Amino acid sequence: MHRPTVGVSRPTAEQTAAADAFRAGDHLVIQAGAGTGKTTTLAMLAHCPPPRGRPPCRQGRYIAFNRTIARDASRRFPDHVTCSTAHALAYASVGREYQTRLNAPRQAGWRIGAALGIDTGMTVRIGARLIGNRALSYSALRTVTRFCQSADPDLTAQHVPRLRGAEADGLHEQLSDVVLPFARKAWADLQHPERGSVRFEHDHYLKMWALNQPKITADFLLLDEAQDTNPVVEQVFAAQRGHAQLVMVGDSAQAIYGWRGARDVMSDFDGRQLILSRSFRFGSELAAEANRWLGIIGAPIRLDGAPWLATELGRAPRPDAVLCRTNVGAMVEVIRQLEQSRRVALAGGGGALTALAQSAHDLRSGRRPSHPELMLFESWEELREYAEYDPSGRDLLPLVELVDEHGTEALLQALGRLSEEETAEVTVSTAHRAKGREWPTVRIADDFTGPDDLDERDTDGEPLPGPIDLAEARLAYVAVTRARTRLDIGGLAWLNSHPAGDPSPGLPRGAP
């Protein structure tokens, strides 16, 4: 692979512009498209001499999305830059006091709920759904997690999750009235360093740290993957503006974790806007495909492919990776690949899919499932009706059809045949888990479906396609930019006949 390396490859004009702006002491927002060498660029900034009037030996901090990225970055950054995650900073300040509770054994959520006062036989009627103690316990604990990911000072109804089958505003309001008192009791339980009933998690001490309004000792801060920053981390990062130079880098078009509390903090950050548009991952043909999605999203950049790389678009019957829209789609693809006698790996392991398949098995066997996706359904028939006729449940229809065709025992058996990625012939992944990764050949799975048609028709009497959901377009952009040599757009081929699929004109270089 051809990637720029500090001190070896010549920087691009955009990387040089970023280094010049950093030396000037500006707060920076760097929009870095897929494969454009953002970590290399941050390392380049870290090697820059200090701005005029600043101390000659400036101390910096690089804040990464996870420990693996931080560890890899530490090998590329100079000694005066400390590489860590936000959680590591919070642990050093607050988390270590809770070490005893962090090492506590895992226990079922309903047991924790019982300690909070959610009795085993407790049930609540919310609309057509009968919500039992397990779902209530899950909701209370999930409410605390969502609060910890937010920048909010107090627990409120907006932190209570919407449960499958009871998504409507009125139903959610009823659920919140029941759940919030238990969630507040759980948060109070977590304040004790030595004892408590609720399992203490890393997000808990991160929130406690943020509520203390910490000051990070550094002359400059480099925030990576800024588009996926939780509001709680954004709040702490932005508060350092008074004493530190702030640099955030990421790709707003890859902001795909809003469902778990993340927010794209780049779009409204007060700083000088710069771009990285030369991809070192793929060639011009795939860059053109990526630019179609960037145009739909309204992204501030368009990508240039590497002239020395040839990345083709076409069928890939035996790809290195298959990227799916959902966990259910990944399960369908695993079965399909196993039927072709291929050694199959699942990115992130098979635990999540096995738990979903086991809950489907429990529901078909007349037992109440524990999985959050299925826990409100009292029978398999009720789930099937929800998947077939309720728009909110449409993504569960492949699971229902798969189970009806193969049976849950066959699904569980198939998941038990998964291989490790090192020995597999193909890796199946959701697009979310594929973020930050790449493979030579990639196929997009069939569960990426286009928008529903409108009631209106064109001059030929054909129904007009509806608008493309921006969250879906961002996920599609992530998926198509994972390939290096060949991309089979598969389930995204519907874009070729959608009015929005016309290639968008490139933006002028340097556009904010």
Side-chain angles (χ1 to χ4, degrees):
M1 292 179 57
H2 298 266
R3 296 191 184 284
T5 304
V6 173
V8 178
S9 297
R10 183 177 180 180
T12 67
E14 292 169 341
Q15 290 173 323
T16 300
D20 290 343
F22 182 73
R23 281 194 296 267
D26 296 339
H27 299 300
L28 304 180
V29 182
I30 304 175
Q31 289 280 354
T36 56
K38 61 182 178 59
T39 304
T40 295
T41 303
L42 286 178
M44 183 186 303
L45 302 191
H47 281 84
C48 287
R52 291 177 183 175
R54 299 291 179 94
C57 298
R58 294 213 299 164
Q59 297 299 308
R61 280 195 176 273
Y62 166 84
I63 302 175
F65 189 66
N66 58 47
R67 283 188 298 177
T68 301
I69 295 174
R71 185 173 59 249
D72 291 344
S74 66
R75 295 193 286 265
R76 307 172 68 180
F77 281 73
D79 292 341
H80 65 270
V81 177
T82 303
C83 301
S84 69
T85 64
H87 281 86
L89 290 170
Y91 180 82
S93 176
V94 176
R96 64 178 62 200
E97 300 175 19
Y98 293 83
Q99 183 62 47
T100 301
R101 293 191 64 175
L102 276 168
N103 292 329
R106 292 185 178 275
Q107 58 178 319
W110 65 268
R111 292 187 183 277
I112 299 175
L116 298 173
I118 304 175
D119 297 332
T120 304
M122 183 176 179
T123 57
V124 177
R125 175 67 66 177
I126 304 290
R129 307 293 181 198
L130 188 64
I131 302 181
N133 69 302
R134 293 173 184 262
L136 290 173
S137 299
Y138 162 81
S139 297
L141 296 175
R142 181 63 184 155
T143 297
V144 173
T145 298
R146 286 162 59 93
F147 165 65
C148 289
Q149 294 168 344
S150 77
D152 304 321
D154 301 297
L155 275 160
T156 64
Q158 68 178 337
H159 304 122
V160 178
R162 293 179 185 263
L163 297 181
R164 281 281 196 163
E167 296 96 339
D169 289 344
L171 301 180
H172 180 257
E173 185 177 344
Q174 295 178 46
L175 178 66
S176 299
D177 290 341
V178 176
V179 167
L180 268 178
F182 296 114
R184 290 177 178 138
K185 190 173 181 179
W187 181 241
D189 175 278
L190 290 165
Q191 306 310 305
H192 304 287
E194 300 293 336
R195 55 179 176 79
S197 301
V198 181
R199 178 177 168 82
F200 198 91
E201 304 284 357
H202 295 281
D203 279 347
H204 298 149
Y205 66 72
L206 179 67
K207 181 64 174 181
M208 294 174 184
W209 177 64
L211 289 173
N212 289 337
Q213 299 180 335
K215 178 179 178 179
I216 301 175
T217 304
D219 298 302
F220 62 89
L221 297 176
L222 310 174
L223 179 64
D224 203 352
E225 298 287 356
Q227 79 284 345
D228 288 326
T229 301
N230 283 339
V232 64
V233 176
E234 173 199 0
Q235 181 186 51
V236 173
F237 180 80
Q240 313 306 310
R241 178 182 288 268
H243 71 276
Q245 182 183 8
L246 305 183
V247 178
M248 55 172 59
V249 63
D251 186 354
S252 291
Q254 294 190 55
I256 59 173
Y257 288 111
W259 54 275
R260 71 178 190 193
R263 192 179 86 84
D264 175 20
V265 304
M266 303 181 68
S267 54
D268 56 4
F269 181 76
D270 182 14
R272 183 172 174 181
Q273 303 276 334
L274 298 168
I275 64 170
L276 299 177
S277 62
R278 164 58 56 81
S279 181
F280 298 89
R281 180 180 299 158
F282 44 73
S284 58
E285 190 172 354
L286 198 150
E289 176 65 22
N291 287 339
R292 292 207 293 171
W293 296 102
L294 290 171
I296 293 166
I297 298 163
I301 60 173
R302 299 293 182 270
L303 291 175
D304 289 328
W308 58 86
L309 295 177
T311 308
E312 299 177 339
L313 270 64
R315 290 191 68 248
R318 296 179 70 81
D320 298 295
V322 180
L323 305 187
C324 307
R325 171 66 185 81
T326 64
N327 278 325
V328 173
M331 190 179 298
V332 172
E333 193 60 47
V334 164
I335 300 297
R336 181 177 298 165
Q337 293 294 324
L338 287 172
E339 288 176 344
Q340 296 177 21
S341 300
R342 301 191 77 191
R343 295 190 304 277
V344 184
L346 192 65
L353 290 191
T354 299
L356 183 60
Q358 183 60 56
S359 275
H361 179 75
D362 291 342
L363 189 59
R364 286 196 73 187
S365 303
R367 296 185 295 272
R368 199 65 180 259
S370 59
H371 197 282
E373 292 288 309
L374 308 181
M375 61 171 46
L376 292 195
F377 300 98
E378 299 183 48
S379 68
W380 186 253
E381 290 70 26
E382 185 181 358
L383 174 62
R384 183 188 290 117
E385 181 179 350
Y386 172 77
E388 288 180 347
Y389 301 111
D390 192 316
S392 300
R394 188 170 302 170
D395 61 313
L396 290 176
L397 187 57
L399 172 65
V400 171
E401 293 174 343
L402 195 65
V403 168
D404 285 345
E405 179 180 354
H406 295 278
T408 51
E409 294 88 350
L411 295 188
L412 289 166
Q413 185 180 30
L415 291 171
R417 294 167 52 199
L418 289 171
S419 303
E420 297 294 328
E421 284 199 56
E422 293 76 9
T423 60
E425 297 173 273
V426 59
T427 297
V428 174
S429 176
T430 62
H432 285 95
R433 283 195 175 274
K435 189 173 175 297
R437 300 190 60 182
E438 57 188 62
W439 293 269
T441 60
V442 171
R443 178 169 63 80
I444 308 299
D446 297 337
D447 63 336
F448 279 87
T449 56
D452 292 334
D453 291 336
L454 301 173
D455 293 334
E456 306 170 30
R457 296 182 177 272
D458 61 19
T459 54
D460 296 325
E462 297 296 323
L464 293 173
I468 299 172
D469 181 84
L470 293 183
E472 295 298 315
R474 284 191 286 269
L475 195 62
Y477 166 68
V478 170
V480 301
T481 54
R482 299 307 99 192
R484 296 199 302 267
T485 60
R486 190 173 189 83
L487 171 70
D488 183 343
I489 63 172
L492 290 172
W494 56 264
L495 184 63
N496 295 331
S497 58
H498 193 282
D502 291 335
S504 299
L507 292 178
R509 291 291 161 255

